[in-house]
Amino acid sequence: MYVSLICFLFTGLIFLVYGKSFIIKFCKHEIANYNTFDSFFIGLCLTGTFLNFWSLFLPVDAFSLLFLSLGAACLVYFNKAYFLPFFSTLRKQIFSHKIFLLLLLIAVIITLLYGLVTPRNYDSYLYHINAIQWNEMYGTVPGLANFHDRFGLNSSVFVLSAAFSYNFLYNQYIFTISSLCYLVFFIWLLKQIHFKKGVIGLFSLLFLYFFTAQYTNDISSPATDLLPNILVGYILLSLLFDSEILTKKAYLFIILPLFCITLKLSTFPIVFIGLFAVYFKKGGLFKTLLQSIGFGCLLILPWMIKNVILTGYLIYPLAELDLFNFDWEVSRHSVLDIKKWITSWARIPMKNQDEVLAMPFKEWFSVWWNASLTVNKIFYSLAAVTPLIFIIYQLFNKKRDKTILLTVWVAYLGLIFWFVTAPDVRFSFTYVLFLALLPLFFFKSLVDKVAGKINPLLIMSTVYCLLLMGKNGYKLFCEDYISAGRFSKYAYLPSDVSEIKEKRNIKFNSVVLLTKDGEKIELFEPNPNHTQCFDKFPCSWYIESNFNLRGEGLKDGFKLNE
């Protein structure tokens, strides 16, 4: 527990410094518009972008973290005129409000209960941890998707997790990124509840509770669903709560949406927020447009190059973007196969993909709907009718708010994009939940008039929801620590993910490949096939015989047999 808190603090400071430095450089006349949370998330995006670039040439390991740390220290030193007041103000903001300080401590405790347990996300053991290890040991490996097609699903979560795993210090992985970002998002929502109250407070509370319930198993995992949904939630809710924010914080709404694409392709519609941010930004449209194009290249290009090296395709798994002819390129059949698998599994899991994709809409939708949780069915229904409610609301509301209009239609576009491509709720739950709760906001003026009566109810509801969240987190925590009588042992350092492999007694088969020099390299697959790899390395959930090594070792990558 102690180690996790230190890792939270150190990682958070690095993100804050890089985010604040960007704001100092590019938003000098608008610094007051950007708060600490903005700095954190901008810093996260910039750090992830840098690590994508670093991984093209070098492993993402202790040296990349050292480089980032030294860079952050230099930025603080050369900008101390900005940072000293910033940290002083931050300290006063935290300790000047006793009730909010208490809420902050509760948020930390709840996050630790969820975040200290061993990863609960199935895919983390299937390929996420292995993808992190590849980044940590070799950086970007040509044709890695030939060894395991899931390694081609390139998410910036993996480079962030590799850099901030602190494996070199503790000889085990401390999965910091998901739980830290969840904690920051948690605190931001609590701030809305405590200080803004009314409809905004109620909206934030409901969003926090149901968002946590959906992603409970991801908070402790280096998974690829939680972080992009946090960023999308931060973007949409910020726009909803402040209709003038798009012009005041244009760069926030340019950087975060662009980086979202590198985390999860299912968040793609959020980039339209960035386009409107450029359009509405005050002072020099042409200059802002050029800067935005530059930021776009900076944020997206390293990720695209990484895609090409891993798979041979600019965006994987889009077989249409086959612009190159490298010897490590994944076969077109494999690309189409994984794309079909993603869509079919999202509709009806554990069923033959060709059979699912051949089903008419009515047939697969019926199966998908019946398999959904009741609470999600309610959210789907509300989200689907929200645009109609919004249109009626606009007809009776003389004041037209362009920001809310933009936010609603981008969210609805995100909902449609998710449903058409891969309607697994975990991929884009933020779009669903945002739209489902949005009708509450249409009654903002009415509720604000009776805020005196609403706020006591909000306080009681907040206490109740936090107790429920804490209870659920404590139940998870007990499974790993209390029930096993190990809490005192792990009060300093959380349990190691490799213990799960030993606990479940996973066995592995091996396949030997020869390098060009005749050296033998052993690859592993779990026995039986198509099961989780855990932290065995190098491992694939199954090994086919249609590929070989490209060169003298693993760092040279894999290619298909001719």
Side-chain angles (χ1 to χ4, degrees):
M1 182 177 293
Y2 173 77
V3 165
S4 296
L5 286 172
I6 295 300
C7 292
F8 278 8
L9 181 61
F10 186 75
T11 306
L13 280 174
I14 288 179
F15 293 162
L16 271 177
V17 169
Y18 281 104
K20 187 66 177 177
S21 298
F22 174 88
I23 293 169
I24 292 169
K25 175 66 177 177
F26 291 96
C27 315
K28 188 169 290 187
H29 302 295
E30 302 169 340
I31 290 179
N33 293 340
Y34 291 83
N35 58 43
T36 304
F37 300 97
D38 302 329
S39 297
F40 175 88
F41 285 118
I42 289 174
L44 165 76
C45 298
L46 296 178
T47 304
T49 300
F50 167 79
L51 291 171
N52 274 328
F53 180 77
W54 177 286
S55 70
L56 300 178
F57 307 99
L58 295 167
V60 182
D61 53 15
F63 291 103
S64 61
L65 181 57
L66 178 62
F67 188 90
L68 284 169
S69 303
L70 292 175
C74 291
L75 288 171
V76 171
Y77 178 78
F78 289 110
N79 293 284
K80 37 181 192 295
Y82 290 97
F83 276 103
L84 291 179
F86 170 69
F87 288 125
S88 177
T89 303
L90 179 60
R91 180 180 61 83
K92 290 178 181 177
Q93 288 175 344
I94 293 173
F95 292 101
S96 61
H97 299 278
K98 293 182 180 180
I99 295 178
F100 183 67
L101 177 60
L102 176 62
L103 290 173
L104 190 150
L105 292 174
I106 292 172
V108 171
I109 292 170
I110 291 176
T111 301
L112 288 174
L113 290 174
Y114 285 112
L116 288 179
V117 300
T118 48
R120 294 299 200 269
N121 185 287
Y122 183 88
D123 284 351
S124 289
Y125 298 108
L126 185 66
Y127 74 97
H128 294 163
I129 296 173
N130 291 142
I132 292 167
Q133 289 176 310
W134 280 104
N135 278 288
E136 188 180 40
M137 295 182 181
Y138 300 107
T140 307
V141 176
L144 184 60
N146 287 313
F147 175 48
H148 188 332
D149 55 6
R150 304 305 187 272
F151 291 145
L153 300 175
N154 174 33
S155 172
S156 296
V157 171
F158 299 144
V159 290
L160 283 164
S161 297
F164 296 97
S165 69
Y166 301 98
N167 190 29
F168 69 98
L169 279 178
Y170 303 107
N171 198 32
Q172 71 173 70
Y173 288 98
I174 311 295
F175 295 122
T176 306
I177 296 300
S178 293
S179 48
L180 173 61
C181 294
Y182 169 78
L183 173 60
V184 173
F185 190 51
F186 192 162
I187 295 171
W188 181 72
L189 288 172
L190 285 179
K191 185 178 178 182
Q192 311 309 309
I193 296 168
H194 177 65
F195 291 105
K196 293 191 176 180
K197 301 181 174 65
V199 168
I200 291 178
L202 180 60
F203 195 106
S204 299
L205 176 62
L206 293 173
F207 194 95
L208 171 63
Y209 178 78
F210 289 111
F211 185 88
T212 302
Q214 174 60 47
Y215 290 109
T216 293
N217 291 333
D218 292 63
I219 296 171
S220 65
S221 305
T224 59
D225 299 314
L226 177 59
L227 182 53
N229 276 278
I230 287 174
L231 292 184
V232 171
Y234 187 70
I235 293 166
L236 294 179
L237 268 63
S238 295
L239 290 168
L240 183 65
F241 297 162
D242 184 354
S243 60
E244 298 179 0
I245 200 171
L246 195 61
T247 55
K248 293 190 294 186
K249 301 181 182 182
Y251 289 121
L252 176 72
F253 297 105
I254 294 170
I255 292 174
L256 267 61
L258 286 171
F259 188 70
C260 276
I261 298 175
T262 75
L263 295 168
K264 197 84 174 178
L265 284 174
S266 58
T267 64
F268 172 75
I270 202 69
V271 299
F272 290 105
I273 296 290
L275 296 178
F276 281 96
V278 173
Y279 180 76
F280 287 123
K281 188 178 187 306
K282 295 178 181 178
L285 175 61
F286 183 71
K287 179 183 177 182
T288 304
L289 182 61
L290 288 179
Q291 286 182 337
S292 301
I293 293 172
F295 292 145
C297 293
L298 176 70
L299 292 160
I300 302 295
L301 196 57
W303 173 75
M304 284 187 168
I305 295 172
K306 191 175 176 72
N307 284 338
V308 172
I309 297 175
L310 290 171
T311 68
Y313 294 83
L314 201 60
I315 297 178
Y316 182 85
L318 296 182
E320 296 81 5
L321 297 178
D322 185 7
L323 308 179
F324 308 99
N325 190 30
F326 296 110
D327 66 335
W328 64 74
E329 185 174 298
V330 176
S331 69
R332 182 179 177 85
H333 170 76
S334 179
V335 179
L336 294 173
D337 184 70
I338 191 172
K339 186 179 180 181
K340 290 193 295 183
W341 176 87
I342 292 171
T343 302
S344 66
W345 187 275
R347 292 178 180 177
I348 307 175
M350 294 179 287
K351 196 175 183 69
N352 180 272
Q353 59 186 21
D354 292 324
E355 183 180 345
V356 173
L357 296 178
M359 290 179 177
F361 171 79
K362 185 178 180 180
E363 185 177 348
W364 73 256
F365 178 79
S366 177
V367 176
W368 174 84
W369 179 262
N370 291 331
S372 300
L373 297 175
T374 301
V375 65
N376 287 340
K377 290 179 181 178
I378 295 172
F379 288 147
Y380 297 152
S381 301
L382 290 172
V385 301
T386 288
L388 178 60
I389 298 173
F390 180 69
I391 291 173
I392 297 172
Y393 167 77
Q394 287 288 80
L395 290 176
F396 289 94
N397 186 23
K398 296 180 180 180
K399 185 179 178 181
R400 299 288 185 265
D401 192 322
K402 292 181 180 178
T403 301
I404 292 181
L405 178 64
L406 164 67
T407 307
V408 171
W409 291 116
V410 168
Y412 196 64
L413 183 61
L415 181 74
I416 295 172
F417 184 79
W418 161 78
F419 185 75
V420 171
T421 55
D424 189 325
V425 65
R426 61 192 171 95
F427 291 163
S428 292
F429 183 65
T430 294
Y431 287 127
V432 175
L433 184 59
F434 177 82
L435 286 170
L437 297 177
L438 192 59
L440 281 173
F441 207 80
F442 300 155
F443 301 98
K444 183 178 184 300
S445 58
L446 176 63
V447 174
D448 286 346
K449 291 179 181 178
V450 291
K453 297 180 180 179
I454 295 295
N455 291 335
L457 179 62
L458 178 62
I459 293 170
M460 290 187 289
S461 300
T462 302
V463 172
Y464 179 70
C465 287
L466 291 176
L467 284 173
L468 283 181
M469 291 166 62
K471 179 182 177 182
N472 294 335
Y474 183 70
K475 183 179 178 180
L476 278 178
F477 189 81
C478 284
E479 292 177 9
D480 266 21
Y481 296 98
I482 306 298
S483 60
R486 305 187 303 170
F487 178 68
S488 59
K489 180 180 177 182
Y490 293 106
Y492 173 71
L493 192 66
S495 58
D496 188 358
V497 67
S498 63
E499 292 183 7
I500 301 296
K501 176 180 61 181
E502 297 169 2
K503 181 180 178 181
R504 299 186 185 178
N505 195 27
I506 303 297
K507 303 296 183 182
F508 294 91
N509 299 328
S510 64
V511 174
V512 176
L513 297 182
L514 296 177
T515 67
K516 289 183 177 180
D517 295 338
E519 181 184 351
K520 295 181 179 179
I521 291 184
E522 196 173 19
L523 308 177
F524 299 95
E525 64 179 0
N527 184 10
N529 288 351
H530 296 77
T531 54
Q532 296 164 310
C533 287
F534 291 82
D535 65 337
K536 193 75 172 178
F537 186 85
C539 184
S540 172
W541 69 331
Y542 67 94
I543 297 179
E544 295 182 347
S545 58
N546 64 339
F547 69 91
N548 216 321
L549 295 169
R550 292 181 63 247
E552 300 176 358
L554 292 174
K555 67 178 181 179
D556 296 316
F558 304 89
K559 64 178 181 178
L560 295 174
N561 294 329
E562 297 179 357

